[in-house]
């Protein structure tokens, strides 16, 4: 009993001590072993973004599933992979400190919303996550920044703020995901300053637009193939 209390206390200390700008995950292995770790976020030096940019062409065992559901929902599979990269680093056993689970880190209510019964099953998790992304793309057409912000913080918050909510976690999340998607460090992200969202135009697969070095929301208006031109 005393040992269990000590182990629990250690886990809680690790979570509390973690950098608030990182995503804290708990992974439970097949042997029952628990491991807490942080998915690093971009620091002032941007070294994390350099590493993330190199993950754009990463090939994993989930390629076929990603392609399958991306085709079904007409979403760029590279965009889906960017979300999975920053959400779980392609670890299907991931559980965040907020309760999000699986490759695409679905919250319990999101999993239920998209009929995901086995949230750690890669097939179901990717299906649910891509379905959610497709829905957000229709809600925020031509705007990848808001789509990602809504996936991270919820669409109601993005609608309420009229753009990226002023949350450090969400701003960092958008920047990291777009860094993976474009294959190069993405520029600054500016939080919403208006209460009414701008939703013009529309996009489907493939997504578009090069990263920018200055701050501000990026409108993805041009259409491209998989790799953005330099």
């Amino acid at each position: 009993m005393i040992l269990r209390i000590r182990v629990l206390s250690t886990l809680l200390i690790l979570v509390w001590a973690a950098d608030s700008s990182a995503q804290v995950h708990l992974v439970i292995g097949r042997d029952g072993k628990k491991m807490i770790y942080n998915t690093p976020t971009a620091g002032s030096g941007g070294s994390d973004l350099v590493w993330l940019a190199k993950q754009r062409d990463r090939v994993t065992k989930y390629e076929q599933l990603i392609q399958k559901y991306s085709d079904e929902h007409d979403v760029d599979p590279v965009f889906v992979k960017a979300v999975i990269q920053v959400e779980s680093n392609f670890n299907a056993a991931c559980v965040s400190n907020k309760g999000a689970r699986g490759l695409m880190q679905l919250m319990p209510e999101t999993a239920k919303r998209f009929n995901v019964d086995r949230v750690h099953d890669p097939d179901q998790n990717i299906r649910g996550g891509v379905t959610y992304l497709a829905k957000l793309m229709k809600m925020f057409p031509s705007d990848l920044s808001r789509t990602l912000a809504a996936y991270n913080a919820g669409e109601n918050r993005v609608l309420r703020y009229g753009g990226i909510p002023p949350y450090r976690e969400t701003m960092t999340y958008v920047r990291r995901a777009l860094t993976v998607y474009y294959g190069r460090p993405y520029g600054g992200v500016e939080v919403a300053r208006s209460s009414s969202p701008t939703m013009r135009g529309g996009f489907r697969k493939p997504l578009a637009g090069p990263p920018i070095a200055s701050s501000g929301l990026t409108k993805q208006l041009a259409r491209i193939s998989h790799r953005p031109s330099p």
Side-chain angles (χ1 to χ4, degrees):
M1 181 66 179
I2 295 178
L3 178 60
R4 289 183 179 179
I5 293 176
R6 288 178 178 175
V7 171
L8 178 60
S9 299
T10 300
L11 293 175
L12 290 175
I13 290 173
L14 286 172
V15 173
W16 176 80
D19 183 351
S20 62
S21 67
Q23 293 189 40
V24 182
H25 294 90
L26 168 65
V27 176
I28 302 177
R30 293 182 178 179
D31 57 358
K33 183 179 180 180
K34 298 179 176 63
M35 178 178 68
I36 289 180
Y37 73 96
N38 289 341
T39 299
T41 57
S44 57
S47 59
D48 175 55
L49 295 184
V50 174
W51 179 84
L52 282 171
K54 296 178 181 179
Q55 306 310 304
R56 185 181 194 278
D57 297 320
R58 178 178 179 178
V59 177
T60 73
K61 60 184 178 181
Y62 305 113
E63 298 298 315
Q64 291 185 350
L65 286 175
I66 293 170
Q67 190 67 54
K68 172 185 176 181
Y69 291 115
S70 295
D71 287 344
E72 284 187 11
H73 294 280
D74 200 20
V75 176
D76 189 344
V78 179
F79 189 58
V80 175
K81 290 177 67 174
V83 171
I84 296 176
Q85 177 66 57
V86 298
E87 286 286 357
S88 68
N89 193 28
F90 290 91
N91 189 329
C94 266
V95 179
S96 79
N97 58 321
K98 295 181 179 180
R101 296 173 178 272
L103 290 166
M104 299 195 73
Q105 289 291 275
L106 303 181
M107 293 295 287
E109 57 270 25
T110 304
K112 183 177 181 181
R113 180 180 177 185
F114 295 104
N115 301 313
V116 176
D117 299 320
R118 299 190 302 276
V119 73
H120 288 289
D121 175 69
D123 190 303
Q124 288 201 25
N125 192 281
I126 292 173
R127 172 180 58 76
V130 174
T131 303
Y132 188 29
L133 274 178
K135 175 182 176 63
L136 294 174
M137 288 177 176
K138 292 178 180 178
M139 184 175 293
F140 305 104
S142 304
D143 200 322
L144 299 187
S145 295
R146 293 188 190 190
T147 295
L148 289 167
Y151 192 90
N152 175 262
E155 59 263 43
N156 289 333
R157 289 190 176 93
V158 175
L159 289 171
R160 182 187 310 156
Y161 285 100
I164 298 177
Y167 308 145
R168 181 182 179 186
E169 176 188 337
T170 301
M171 290 185 289
T172 301
Y173 176 87
V174 171
R175 189 181 186 194
R176 297 178 79 236
L178 290 179
T179 290
V180 179
Y181 177 66
Y182 291 122
R184 68 187 100 175
Y186 185 77
V189 175
E190 185 177 332
V191 298
R193 300 180 184 277
S194 170
S195 60
S196 57
T198 300
M199 297 186 289
R200 298 177 181 176
F203 73 85
R204 300 293 284 168
K205 187 183 71 174
L207 308 180
I212 57 175
S214 60
S215 63
L217 296 177
T218 303
K219 290 293 184 180
Q220 323 300 332
L221 299 177
R223 289 180 177 270
I224 58 168
S225 56
H226 275 342
R227 181 177 292 279
S229 59

